[in-house]
Amino acid sequence: MLFSGILFLLLLSTVTAHPVAGGHPVSSSYYDDINNATYDNFSSKDKRFVKHYLEKLSKVTNSNSTSTCQRCVNELNIGKEAALKRLDLIPTIFTKWCKDNDIDKKKNCEMAYGRLTVNSSTTGADFGNMLSLMDPNSIDGEYYCYYKRKKACDLPETIDIDISSWWPEKLNNTVTPENSGETFNVLHISDHHLELHYTVGAEANCTDNGMCCTPHNDNDQKLPINWNTNSSTYNSLYSGSYYNNEGQYVLGSKLLNPFKSGGENQDQSVWQPSTIFGAYTCDSPEILVNSSLKSVADFQAKQNLSFDFALFTGDLVDHDELQYTNYADSIEEEELVFRDMKKWLKDIPVYSVMGNHDTFPYGQIAQESSGFNNKFTWNADLMAHLWSDNNWIDAGTAQEVLEHYCGFSVTTKHKNLKVITLNSNTYYQKNYYSYWNMTEPDTFGTLRWLVDELVESERKNQRVWIMAHIPFIDYDALPIPAKLYVKIIKRFSPSTIAGIFFGHTHQDQFSVLYASDGKELGDEVNFAWISQSVTPISKHNPGWRWYEVDKNSFNIMNSHNYFTKLNETFGNNGAEPKWEHLYDAREAYDPQHKWPSDAPLNATFWSKVAKEIGTSNATAQQYGIYSYRDSPYNPVCEEGDCYDYYCYTTSFTYESYYNCVDGNTRY
Ligand SMILES: *[C@@H]1O[C@H](CO)[C@@H](O)[C@H](O)[C@H]1NC(C)=O
Ligand SMILES: *[C@@H]1O[C@H](CO)[C@@H](O)[C@H](O)[C@H]1NC(C)=O
Ligand SMILES: *[C@@H]1O[C@H](CO)[C@@H](O)[C@H](O)[C@H]1NC(C)=O
Ligand SMILES: *[C@@H]1O[C@H](CO)[C@@H](O)[C@H](O)[C@H]1NC(C)=O
Ligand SMILES: *[C@@H]1O[C@H](CO)[C@@H](O)[C@H](O)[C@H]1NC(C)=O
Ligand SMILES: *[C@@H]1O[C@H](CO)[C@@H](O)[C@H](O)[C@H]1NC(C)=O
Ligand SMILES: *[C@@H]1O[C@H](CO)[C@@H](O)[C@H](O)[C@H]1NC(C)=O
Ligand SMILES: *[C@@H]1O[C@H](CO)[C@@H](O)[C@H](O)[C@H]1NC(C)=O
Ligand SMILES: *[C@@H]1O[C@H](CO)[C@@H](O)[C@H](O)[C@H]1NC(C)=O
Ligand SMILES: *[C@@H]1O[C@H](CO)[C@@H](O)[C@H](O)[C@H]1NC(C)=O
Ligand SMILES: *[C@@H]1O[C@H](CO)[C@@H](O)[C@H](O)[C@H]1NC(C)=O
């Protein structure tokens, strides 16, 4: 039986009853050791093999007679030759090659090419698998060398692949169904990024470019000797605070001297101690995840709101450095966030996608047809079990989860609305497997599946919402799949596709798709909602939103956005965060009520908002503030922070955005 629960129990047993386990000990010389130790134990034949390929690689890497692009491609060719003979030796060869030739920082060499362990997210095996699959002399090599080797090759021009045979011809003058005037509500939450190692009192102002607020990072400057440690700025320093199973907030024990002052304790001094609910430089402690979900429940009660279902657009797992990203924590973070959602949202079904962090090793997923997918099926198994155990999906849908890399389609309680979820790692530039066979449009089979689902819905006059983690406008979305998704969206808009939802950027954004590059008002085809994150990392206040949805057309009539001022929790003696309504889209972007109250917030509405952002600094500033949820780090348009807002909001793919800003991108 599919849901025997054995795997589930095994996995569940890794969940500790309480937050904050210590970091797994990973000694800094570990990868050196294992590579050397492994190497020392090699037979002389294997040693000769490694040496032979290292010499071949180094010769290419150090030759001056070729372009950086050709060198990179030549290296891939040598790697492929080696991979086809001895896949198992690729991590040893490439880790050494990377370090010996200063290809990257030592740590990055170890993470990118090192042998996989459960303790660290090393991708040498995936790199080897990719080598064995790819054709380095095709665009596979060029794309790889652009994205993964610091733009060694130019970005190839995006080829045009005709997939129109996948669908019946589009009917002319297709129209969207009429609004009924009656609405229901849907919750949208995103990017929780639970940090299991978040530690109250740890340095939030860390200087080593890693994850702050954890025991493994600090500030490289010692506190001045006379630093005033009697600051009330950070007094919410109660370790072990949590929400109990009844939903009550329980304060932990007060840390006595988190600043530790200068002098003899200098090495442990902390400039900005992490407080209970999080910091702008850090991922979410579990208590913040709970607080955000509790605020959803509280507003529901206060406003007599019910949600028919929830959308979760991915990223349960933290942004820890790859050496601290491990298998056990990744599973535990996935399980805990979904457990907490179930606890607070009760009977509301949550439809979820996997984010780029929600896998192990980080960012990787292999095609079924590659032969390497077995390594990743644990995740789809886990999701199928968790989601069906939570009663969010039924057994048939759980089966789809296994077949579509955690993606599925589900007819909602409104029979005429279907939700389709996609795993965006299938088009993620950091996934090695996406560099295989890049001229072949659909190695994962996801595009064809999506089209088949859309064709079926079109036939039934059913409307569809599509969800994925990474928006196509993001640098992380590979151009060829992005272009194909756009073709699909154009084909099935506006009549079938009624909504597109993403997360990933942590900002509250939108992105309009036009029929042509002119970005003319009236030429818009569809648009995407990009949800704000719960995690405060990269300077945002935690936030979430819900939508009012028409019961007949499934168009969205309004969005309501909530947030909490995280900085108010630093020095409030451990009091709970206060969550507030930030804005609703209709009132914020159409204060004069020019848009008919019975018209949906469709692509035309957002196209008008985008034009307004392009012509009015006040609107751009407002959009920027909402984007950051009014944090202390709001962008300042007068200082040039909003220069690309118009291009961002009027582009649907990174390529379109890139052309719009003339290469002057932010990323
Ligand atoms: C991996 O993590 C486990 C569990 O914390 C630990 O016992 C083991 O020593 C770690 N291995 C290495 C090589 O760091
Ligand atoms: C390649 O060029 C660099 C600097 O341009 C030079 O230092 C190096 O000696 C050259 N190597 C060879 C093998 O010619
Ligand atoms: C739609 O209109 C175009 C241009 O008028 C025409 O070429 C095409 O055949 C029409 N398609 C259908 C399905 O009627
Ligand atoms: C810390 O500051 C508070 C308020 O300014 C003051 O009442 C208290 O005496 C100070 N404590 C010490 C140890 O200086
Ligand atoms: C989060 O909420 C869950 C469910 O109520 C609870 O079991 C858990 O202890 C909470 N954790 C924290 C850190 O608040
Ligand atoms: C963060 O640390 C740096 C020293 O590394 C210091 O100059 C700066 O003032 C600190 N900022 C805060 C907010 O503590
Ligand atoms: C709450 O909303 C429901 C419909 O969703 C309605 O039946 C009920 O009367 C409302 N209760 C209050 C107190 O407004
Ligand atoms: C590319 O994909 C196609 C279709 O999946 C397959 O037939 C072909 O063998 C693949 N080519 C390579 C080089 O793997
Ligand atoms: C959006 O709705 C308005 C008003 O109903 C309509 O005129 C417009 O054509 C719609 N835009 C799109 C792209 O469907
Ligand atoms: C928190 O940040 C907001 C926005 O910058 C600011 O208005 C507020 O004064 C800050 N609160 C505290 C306690 O620093
Ligand atoms: C917006 O502000 C910038 C910088 O202050 C200024 O250069 C620009 O002219 C302003 N644009 C509009 C439309 O007001």
Side-chain angles (χ1 to χ4, degrees), residues 253-404:
S253 48
K254 176 104 178 161
L255 293 194
L256 290 178
N257 185 6
F259 293 98
K260 295 265 171 127
S261 69
E264 57 186 30
N265 279 329
Q266 272 194 344
D267 283 345
Q268 288 149 47
S269 67
V270 168
W271 290 78
Q272 187 189 334
S274 313
T275 50
I276 301 170
F277 285 94
Y280 291 107
T281 44
C282 303
D283 272 332
S284 310
E286 195 198 356
I287 196 165
L288 175 64
V289 172
N290 276 341
S291 172
S292 72
L293 292 164
K294 179 172 187 273
S295 75
V296 173
D298 289 349
F299 277 108
Q300 275 187 271
K302 208 162 101 191
Q303 302 179 356
N304 191 28
L305 271 177
S306 68
F307 298 120
D308 283 14
F309 55 88
L311 309 178
F312 166 62
T313 37
D315 271 0
L316 308 139
V317 174
D318 63 71
H319 291 86
D320 271 347
E321 301 90 314
L322 293 174
Q323 67 266 33
Y324 297 110
T325 298
N326 63 66
Y327 180 61
D329 284 357
S330 301
I331 290 179
E332 188 170 345
E333 287 169 353
E334 291 180 1
E335 290 179 340
L336 285 181
V337 178
F338 284 133
R339 177 196 73 178
D340 294 344
M341 284 182 193
K342 180 64 188 172
K343 181 82 181 184
W344 297 98
L345 302 179
K346 303 207 158 53
D347 295 332
I348 302 168
V350 180
Y351 302 134
S352 303
V353 298
M354 302 313 275
N356 52 317
H357 289 264
D358 305 329
T359 180
F360 185 83
Y362 168 80
Q364 306 303 300
I365 182 92
Q367 301 85 343
E368 187 66 48
S369 55
S370 72
F372 296 113
N373 184 245
N374 281 358
K375 193 176 157 181
F376 302 96
T377 48
W378 63 269
N379 210 15
D381 275 336
L382 178 61
M383 291 309 126
H385 285 109
L386 281 180
W387 298 340
S388 52
D389 277 19
N390 281 348
N391 260 321
W392 294 340
I393 56 173
D394 63 18
T397 310
Q399 185 60 36
E400 283 195 8
V401 169
L402 303 178
E403 285 162 13
H404 301 291

Side-chain angles (χ1 to χ4, degrees), residues 185-192 292-293 295-297 299-300 303 305-313 345 348 465 468 499-511 527-534 541-549 556 558-564 579-585 589 601 606 623 626-629 648:
N185 305 321
V186 172
L187 176 69
H188 187 175
I189 51 181
S190 202
D191 290 84
H192 292 70
S292 72
L293 292 164
S295 75
V296 173
F299 277 108
Q300 275 187 271
Q303 302 179 356
L305 271 177
S306 68
F307 298 120
D308 283 14
F309 55 88
L311 309 178
F312 166 62
T313 37
L345 302 179
I348 302 168
W465 286 4
I500 302 169
F501 306 87
F502 296 113
H504 187 60
T505 68
H506 297 187
Q507 295 187 21
D508 178 346
Q509 293 164 312
F510 67 91
S511 142
F527 77 103
W529 298 92
I530 303 172
S531 173
Q532 60 272 51
S533 62
V534 168
N541 272 326
W544 53 268
R545 59 167 74 148
W546 61 272
Y547 304 110
E548 266 172 79
V549 183
I556 291 179
N558 206 354
S559 77
H560 300 265
N561 295 269
Y562 295 76
F563 79 122
T564 186
W579 289 80
E580 302 168 62
H581 181 256
L582 180 60
Y583 76 100
D584 79 66
Y589 293 117
L601 302 191
W606 290 107
Y623 175 77
Y626 291 155
S627 198
Y628 279 67
R629 288 82 83 189
Y648 195 97

